[in-house]
Amino acid sequence: MSPSAECNIPFQIDTSVNGEDEDSCLKDGVYTVDGDETVPVLSAGFMCAKGWRGKTRFNPSGSRTFIREYEHSPPATLLEGRGTQSGAHVDIMGNFALIEDIMRVAAGATGEELGGDRVYSDIFKWSEKINLQL
């Protein structure tokens, strides 16, 4: 008998479960949230929004931090490839705005010279709800 024949996965997604209303985050048994299709915004952005802001135990020297979010604009067709304005996890390195920011930082630009924070999500509001001793 093969090892896979002995596998038993005790959990299954109940695809018949949906949220109370049309705007619910629960669809087909899965909760979805803002993010890059792999990592939720809160996981990716909390430390920059709160944990590293100012002089904290996570940033004892008080180095300035900035959040640079990139709006997701998926490619219009499959012929366009991954897209130059995509914010999806697997596409982000081809995003022209990100490449421009990286090139400017590599050339010596500061966060202020990039324009400071560029935030499209509610990361600051969500981060304030997390009670973590900083």
Side-chain angles (χ1 to χ4, degrees):
M1 186 158 49
S2 72
S4 62
E6 295 176 20
C7 267
N8 178 26
I9 300 173
F11 305 105
Q12 294 181 359
I13 295 174
D14 184 350
T15 58
S16 68
V17 177
N18 289 296
E20 300 282 323
D21 57 49
E22 190 176 295
D23 296 329
S24 174
C25 294
L26 177 59
K27 291 184 178 27
D28 301 323
V30 177
Y31 281 100
T32 59
V33 296
D34 286 344
D36 69 359
E37 299 175 356
T38 303
V39 179
V41 168
L42 189 57
S43 293
F46 169 75
M47 289 305 289
C48 284
K50 187 173 179 183
W52 293 325
R53 288 277 163 146
K55 198 168 186 172
T56 70
R57 69 182 171 129
F58 302 111
N59 183 7
S61 66
S63 297
R64 300 275 320 263
T65 61
F66 297 92
I67 294 178
R68 301 289 290 174
E69 293 181 347
Y70 301 90
E71 283 191 297
H72 177 61
S73 181
T77 68
L78 289 174
L79 297 175
E80 196 177 330
R82 291 197 164 168
T84 59
Q85 296 178 333
S86 175
H89 184 84
V90 298
D91 297 343
I92 194 69
M93 291 307 293
N95 182 299
F96 284 177
L98 172 70
I99 293 169
E100 180 181 348
D101 281 353
I102 290 170
M103 295 299 290
R104 291 178 66 196
V105 168
T110 65
E112 290 90 356
E113 291 170 335
L114 291 180
D117 290 321
R118 182 178 59 218
V119 179
Y120 301 105
S121 70
D122 287 325
I123 188 63
F124 290 113
K125 181 176 78 173
W126 300 329
S127 295
E128 284 306 312
K129 292 181 180 182
I130 296 174
N131 185 17
L132 176 68
Q133 184 179 351
L134 301 174

